[in-house]
Amino acid sequence: MSRPVFTLTEAAALVSTSRSTLRRRLDQGDFPDAYRDPKGVWKIPLTSLLAAGLHPVQGAVQNLSTDTAQHVHDIAQPEQVGLKNRVIELENALSIERAHRTAAEQVAAAERHRAQTAEMALRMLEQGPSAPAPAFSAPVATPPPEPRSGFWRRIFKT
């Protein structure tokens, strides 16, 4: 059984909204599964309409072709719509949990790197210095430099 797919005009009639509203929502990305057929006509799956919070109205199903109306009638039953909404909620929750898992894996990788760096620093400290450090020595007093010009030699008479 194939999933029902509608043109913008059919979808607008199905959910009792204007075609321009659906086009605007399509441009905003509310129907990620929508696609263009080979003729360039936009096709929106019923599941995308339901996921976007648009539900078929009672009288709209009768205006569609018999094959499409049967699919919509099967899915549009109140309990099935509730189940579809629950599936969408669970898929959203799953996406959130996957994002949490990815974030936790990134934190774990950063902590693992930090631990490896700390272990390497500890090993370096345990090995001790590779060359002995120079001992501290008091500064040695150096004599003043010799005067370079004749003027200074006459003054100091050296």
Side-chain angles (χ1 to χ4, degrees):
M1 178 190 216
S2 64
R3 302 265 179 179
V5 178
F6 306 101
T7 64
L8 281 174
T9 305
E10 292 170 341
L14 178 69
V15 297
S16 184
T17 189
S18 69
R19 186 177 186 282
S20 61
T21 299
L22 286 182
R23 178 58 192 216
R24 190 170 40 256
R25 292 190 68 178
L26 178 68
D27 292 340
Q28 292 172 350
D30 288 348
F31 310 118
D33 296 332
Y35 61 93
R36 286 185 185 253
D37 69 2
K39 295 179 183 177
V41 178
W42 278 105
K43 298 289 187 168
I44 304 174
L46 179 62
T47 54
S48 290
L49 291 170
L50 294 173
L54 300 172
H55 301 287
V57 293
Q58 294 291 13
V61 175
Q62 295 161 351
N63 297 336
L64 299 172
S65 68
T66 324
D67 184 41
T68 306
Q70 182 60 39
H71 285 297
V72 175
H73 181 69
D74 290 344
I75 295 176
Q77 296 297 325
E79 60 203 35
Q80 290 179 347
V81 170
L83 292 175
K84 291 287 182 184
N85 288 338
R86 180 68 179 141
V87 167
I88 291 168
E89 288 174 13
L90 291 174
E91 287 173 345
N92 288 340
L94 179 61
S95 297
I96 291 169
E97 290 303 318
R98 284 181 177 156
H100 285 201
R101 184 194 69 208
T102 302
E105 288 173 351
Q106 290 173 348
V107 168
E111 289 298 318
R112 198 170 22 257
H113 178 70
R114 195 176 98 186
Q116 289 171 347
T117 304
E119 287 174 0
M120 184 173 50
L122 181 62
R123 273 186 256 131
M124 290 171 67
L125 288 172
E126 287 173 344
Q127 288 177 358
S130 56
F136 177 74
S137 61
V140 177
T142 57
E146 292 284 326
R148 294 187 183 142
S149 69
F151 171 78
W152 288 108
R153 287 185 188 187
R154 277 182 280 151
I155 291 185
F156 290 109
K157 296 186 183 177
T158 57

